[in-house]
Amino acid sequence: MSGGMDHDRVIIFDTTLRDGEQSPGASMNLDEKVRIALVLEEMGVDVIEAGFPFASKGDFEAVQAVAEAVRNSAVCGLARATRGDIERCAEAIRPAARGRIHTFISTSPLHMKYKLQMEPDKVLERVTESVTLARTLTDDVEWSAEDGSRTEPDFLCRCVEAAIAAGARTVNIPDTVGYALPDEYAALIRHLLDRVPNIDRAIISVHCHNDLGLAVANSLAAVKAGARQVECTVNGLGERAGNAAMEEIVMALRTRHDLLPFTAGIRTEHITRASRLVSAITGFPVQPNKAIVGKNAFAHESGIHQDGVLKHAQTYEIMTPESVGLHRSSLVMGKHSGRAAFRAKLKELGYELDEAAVDSAFIRFKDLADRKKDIFDEDILALVDDAVLRGQTRIRLASLEILCGTMHNPPEATLELDIDGEVKSCKASGDGPVDATFNAIKALFPHEARLQLFQVHAVTQGTDAQAEVTVRLEEDGKTVQGQGADTDTLVAAARAYLNALNKLLVKRQKTAPAALSA
Ligand code: KIV
Ligand code: ZN
């Protein structure tokens, strides 16, 4: 590890906006990426990987916008080991207070032979060339050995040494395919520390995928072995089974400080808020039993557990809900609650919204309070998330009326949509009220996208509960997820469909992300 740095400090490198966005369906637009980046910055994330600038104009602009907006975290862009990628990346991060170029090339026999079709010596040359070029454009360069965990250890040592000699300050050893086991991965990190002569001039980073459910365990084993940067994502989002979940890494370091005597600079009370925001924006629900951020992570169902917790919380709680920013669900407000109380509640729930956003959320809150007697924290979260999701859209729901039931066949939807500022209306029928609604959307805004998922969940209990609907659409191999919430399930369904459709329109503007090969 480089001189002058605190040896027990673990750098948190968040790649929700890059690797996380590579999850099929988890696309985010520019505004959404900036919003997430600002929350990550407030949490104290050290490095935010904002995207892959060469992949598309949209990615480039998003990295640039994050670099402009964020002041306290370093902002990083990904680049393959090519001049075009590296120069484009440098341009995107230029506005950053602290910008990083993260360049990578595959080093495993399998990847070199089949993916790159390059001899190891050529790959080694490219390591030097790419890092040298990146260093002419910025001081902070990270180099990654893609498929590092399946790389022949001595070749990996040579590549790492070359990258450091060319000026890389961070060398990342990804477990790209989530294949490693904790002991094995830790041994590889120790091997690098023992064998690479200039290793003290760089920080070793780890980047673990979760294909065998071991991403967090592998990352922590690597930290114990000497790695001092962990790459991770909020909610464990990422390619295939995802990346190591940031909230799990950070809370393990905090909760088991006795055996993991390292610190991360994360303000853990922001975890719940970040998790909810990422889930709302990507449309990826968090499973109820997900560690740290799942709905049930702090819920005690059995009588024995409840009794124990009431007597002494630590009987069944190894961390407090408050330490991750979770406030126990309470009956909050009703139709007589004012704007000040509403704003205070938003703050308590972790939302710092600007005046316009508070105004629009307050109008929706009042509307909800007219229709629903008891309003819980979850209701407020759902309506704020729904408002956040509908921030920048081309197609908006203006009105929806449905005729259905046993006496009316087939069900009929009368729909008004605001499309690019022009209100259009139509009637459509379908096999059920949801089908009729979606057919009406298709009639007003023709498209070829196919519905892959339609999922409804009740935000709270009771027949007046808000419905939260998730819709997944697929077009030309691109998938997007949308969400919508309302006490009327059909309105929620229409909102979710439109949210997905709006995302698809953004995605259409992107060129297909280049395959991750050098
Ligand atoms: O998983 C991986 O190897 C990556 C690299 C590009 C760092 O995401
Ligand atoms: Zn990855």
Side-chain angles (χ1 to χ4, degrees):
M1 283 146 280
S2 57
M5 98 159 253
D6 171 0
H7 280 231
D8 298 332
R9 173 79 156 77
V10 174
I11 295 168
I12 298 295
F13 175 115
D14 181 279
T15 182
T16 307
L17 303 180
R18 199 278 296 169
D19 214 320
E21 208 209 13
Q22 283 173 217
S23 311
S27 58
M28 310 168 208
N29 65 30
L30 187 145
D31 277 356
E32 293 167 340
K33 284 192 174 181
V34 171
R35 201 173 298 132
I36 292 174
L38 292 174
V39 170
L40 295 175
E41 178 184 37
E42 213 181 325
M43 282 177 91
V45 164
D46 300 286
V47 187
I48 298 173
E49 186 164 56
F52 183 7
F54 194 81
S56 71
K57 189 164 168 277
D59 267 52
F60 176 86
E61 287 168 355
V63 175
Q64 200 172 42
V66 170
E68 273 161 17
V70 166
R71 295 293 89 188
N72 299 321
S73 315
V75 176
C76 172
L78 184 69
R80 291 167 300 180
T82 65
R83 176 171 289 276
D85 269 43
I86 293 170
E87 288 180 346
R88 190 89 173 125
C89 182
E91 209 183 320
I93 60 159
R94 193 158 301 137
R98 281 181 300 128
R100 173 180 293 193
I101 296 177
H102 175 191
T103 182
F104 72 98
I105 191 164
S106 292
T107 51
S108 67
L110 208 67
H111 277 222
M112 290 191 292
K113 181 165 178 196
Y114 294 105
K115 190 180 106 167
L116 300 180
Q117 296 177 344
M118 279 167 76
E119 290 302 320
D121 282 350
K122 280 278 161 233
V123 169
L124 192 57
E125 269 173 33
R126 274 283 195 95
V127 172
T128 302
E129 281 164 18
S130 54
V131 175
T132 306
L133 171 64
R135 272 304 303 265
T136 63
L137 301 166
T138 181
D139 285 345
D140 188 356
V141 173
E142 170 170 339
W143 176 78
S144 278
E146 195 188 3
D147 208 16
S149 59
R150 293 193 298 172
T151 297
E152 197 274 305
D154 289 337
F155 182 62
L156 187 62
C157 287
R158 289 171 64 206
C159 291
V160 166
E161 185 181 350
I164 297 172
R169 288 184 176 173
T170 306
V171 286
N172 183 36
I173 314 299
D175 182 26
T176 302
V177 289
Y179 181 73
L181 300 182
D183 287 351
E184 176 192 33
Y185 194 51
L188 181 62
I189 301 302
R190 274 193 297 271
H191 185 76
L192 294 172
L193 283 166
D194 290 345
R195 299 289 172 83
V196 176
N198 55 3
I199 197 73
D200 58 328
R201 285 167 37 200
I203 288 172
I204 299 187
S205 168
V206 288
H207 174 115
C208 297
H209 280 270
N210 206 28
D211 300 64
L212 292 173
L214 292 170
V216 170
N218 283 336
S219 306
L220 294 174
V223 167
K224 283 182 94 171
R228 287 297 177 270
Q229 175 175 287
V230 174
E231 304 199 353
C232 47
T233 58
V234 174
N235 297 341
L237 211 64
E239 283 266 6
R240 305 181 311 279
N243 290 64
M246 189 233 274
E247 60 278 7
E248 296 177 24
I249 299 278
V250 167
M251 290 313 287
L253 291 178
R254 180 173 161 160
T255 309
R256 295 309 312 270
H257 196 71
D258 52 336
L259 291 182
L260 296 166
F262 313 101
T263 49
I266 299 294
R267 289 182 273 282
T268 60
E269 319 76 58
H270 293 270
I271 283 178
T272 300
R273 174 187 170 208
S275 163
R276 284 178 175 156
L277 183 67
V278 169
S279 170
I281 284 178
T282 57
F284 272 47
V286 174
Q287 77 193 59
N289 57 328
K290 162 86 180 61
I292 318 295
V293 290
K295 202 171 170 9
N296 296 348
F298 293 91
H300 303 283
E301 181 73 15
S302 95
I304 296 172
H305 287 205
Q306 285 174 350
D307 181 53
V309 169
L310 286 174
K311 287 180 175 141
H312 195 297
Q314 282 173 11
T315 49
Y316 289 100
E317 272 182 7
I318 59 167
M319 344 165 227
T320 65
E322 290 75 19
S323 65
V324 300
L326 188 69
H327 301 278
R328 302 205 187 258
S329 177
S330 54
L331 180 60
V332 281
M333 291 181 294
K335 63 200 268 181
H336 300 298
S337 306
R339 204 170 174 287
F342 181 68
R343 178 197 288 283
K345 190 70 200 171
L346 288 179
K347 202 156 180 221
E348 184 193 315
L349 293 173
Y351 286 95
E352 297 279 357
L353 302 184
D354 60 31
E355 285 304 307
V358 173
D359 283 348
S360 106
F362 188 60
I363 292 169
R364 295 204 62 207
F365 161 71
K366 282 292 188 187
D367 176 46
L368 182 65
D370 278 340
R371 289 179 289 144
K372 188 173 189 293
K373 194 164 135 265
D374 298 333
I375 297 196
F376 296 86
D377 286 359
E378 288 87 342
D379 288 314
I380 294 192
L381 289 167
L383 77 82
V384 174
D385 287 345
D386 194 61
V388 163
L389 290 170
R390 291 179 303 113
Q392 259 212 346
T393 51
R394 278 186 60 195
I395 313 170
R396 287 170 193 275
L397 178 67
S399 72
L400 174 67
E401 274 178 46
I402 304 280
L403 215 50
C404 65
T406 52
M407 304 302 286
H408 186 84
N409 206 7
E412 196 174 74
T414 307
L415 177 73
E416 271 189 332
L417 291 184
D418 178 330
I419 304 175
D420 293 328
E422 193 190 334
V423 177
K424 296 182 174 173
S425 62
C426 81
K427 269 187 202 267
S429 57
D431 284 341
V434 174
D435 193 43
T437 305
F438 291 178
N439 286 342
I441 295 176
K442 269 194 190 145
L444 288 180
F445 192 89
H447 57 274
E448 295 299 316
R450 283 181 307 115
L451 182 70
Q452 283 194 329
L453 173 90
F454 173 73
Q455 196 170 279
V456 185
H457 119 262
V459 171
T460 55
Q461 287 166 355
T463 48
D464 66 348
Q466 286 195 85
E468 204 162 47
V469 175
T470 304
V471 158
R472 188 188 302 146
L473 297 179
E474 186 269 336
E475 185 186 68
D476 293 336
K478 293 175 193 155
T479 54
V480 285
Q481 298 215 143
Q483 281 187 319
D486 200 276
T487 46
D488 185 320
T489 308
L490 294 165
V491 171
R495 286 210 170 114
Y497 194 101
L498 292 174
N499 180 231
L501 197 53
N502 278 301
K503 287 186 171 185
L504 204 57
L505 298 182
V506 174
K507 207 150 189 167
R508 271 186 197 168
Q509 291 161 9
K510 291 190 177 193
T511 55
L516 293 183
S517 58

